[in-house]
Amino acid sequence: PSRPRLLHHPKGMVRKEACWVLSNIAAGTHQQIGAVIRAKGCMQRVTEMASTSEWEVRKEAIWVVSNIATGGTDKQIMSVIEAGAIDAVCSILSVNDTKMLLVALDAVDCILKLGMKLNKDYISFVDECDGLTMIETLQEHESEEVYQKAITLIETYFGAEDGEDDENLAPDVNGGTFSFGIPQKNIDEVECPANAGHSNAQPFTTYNFAS
């Protein structure tokens, strides 16, 4: 799609609707996602707007990033990460919008899962963007779904290091001896949200992008 020009439009409404169109394309097939990624300068501009634009524009931009992170191939997800996806999704984790928090948390989940799969340290990138601090704060969120997702992310990707907090574990008695244990998490048990049926696509309507 040839959308980069509209992504730089001075009118926020035009940029919002351009991102909306891209988010629906990004909720499609891998070929359609590839078309969005290949558009010169497109994803760099989208991730920039996801962090710095007006809120209505940011929301649509995050949908583009999240749809690719949750539905793209490994290579496509890596492409949006290189374009600034981690910083973009982490910037949403402090907003007071339950729906967008869930969208951002899903994206973080899939990015970190890919990092584990490919042995890439995306966990540190999230931490450097204050993502971990914000996810920890979300453990107190009023939404049960946000709370559960935050807990799952922390337990799966940011668990205690070897030896950390061992002094807080109650000993188990086994055959007259004491042992300490930390439950193990299986990364394969955590699945990224699928875009089955393009569930992340938003209803199509017609817009006039004329100035």
Side-chain angles (χ1 to χ4, degrees):
S2 181
R3 297 285 172 187
R5 182 175 60 84
L6 296 178
L7 297 177
H8 290 273
H9 198 281
K11 291 185 177 180
M13 181 60 69
V14 174
R15 286 181 277 116
K16 171 189 172 182
E17 301 306 339
C19 287
W20 174 85
V21 171
L22 290 174
S23 73
N24 278 278
I25 297 172
T29 64
H30 289 160
Q31 182 177 4
Q32 290 169 319
I33 291 174
V36 173
I37 293 174
R38 288 192 300 273
K40 186 176 180 180
C42 179
M43 285 312 304
Q44 286 84 356
R45 178 57 177 158
V46 168
T47 57
E48 177 187 346
M49 290 191 297
S51 300
T52 63
S53 289
E54 312 92 308
W55 175 237
E56 292 302 316
V57 177
R58 290 181 69 191
K59 287 198 297 185
E60 298 301 332
I62 280 296
W63 272 109
V64 180
V65 176
S66 182
N67 284 351
I68 296 175
T70 59
T73 64
D74 292 354
K75 185 176 180 179
Q76 289 169 341
I77 298 172
M78 290 175 65
S79 293
V80 294
I81 291 172
E82 292 170 1
I86 293 179
D87 191 33
V89 295
C90 287
S91 74
I92 298 295
L93 297 177
S94 61
V95 304
N96 186 25
D97 185 315
T98 298
K99 178 62 178 178
M100 297 314 300
L101 284 173
L102 293 171
V103 170
L105 289 169
D106 282 345
V108 171
D109 186 8
C110 288
I111 287 170
L112 293 181
K113 185 174 184 180
L114 179 65
M116 297 286 281
K117 176 182 177 182
L118 302 180
N119 196 30
K120 292 183 177 292
D121 192 16
Y122 294 152
I123 291 175
S124 290
F125 292 170
V126 170
D127 195 10
E128 290 169 5
C129 294
D130 294 326
L132 174 56
T133 299
M134 288 184 278
I135 293 171
E136 288 175 337
T137 301
L138 292 177
Q139 294 177 98
E140 301 176 4
H141 198 273
E142 60 185 7
S143 165
E144 178 69 15
E145 193 170 0
V146 170
Y147 161 77
Q148 290 294 344
K149 283 183 179 292
I151 289 290
T152 299
L153 285 174
I154 291 171
E155 291 182 346
T156 303
Y157 304 107
F158 301 97
E161 299 292 338
D162 291 343
E164 183 178 338
D165 294 331
D166 283 357
E167 66 275 11
N168 295 324
L169 295 175
D172 293 327
V173 180
N174 183 12
T177 62
F178 290 97
S179 63
F180 294 81
I182 298 176
Q184 297 297 312
K185 286 288 178 181
N186 185 346
I187 190 66
D188 293 331
E189 293 175 358
V190 182
E191 296 188 3
C192 291
N195 274 328
H198 303 168
S199 60
N200 285 342
Q202 302 170 67
F204 276 98
T205 54
T206 302
Y207 291 91
N208 181 0
F209 291 106
S211 299

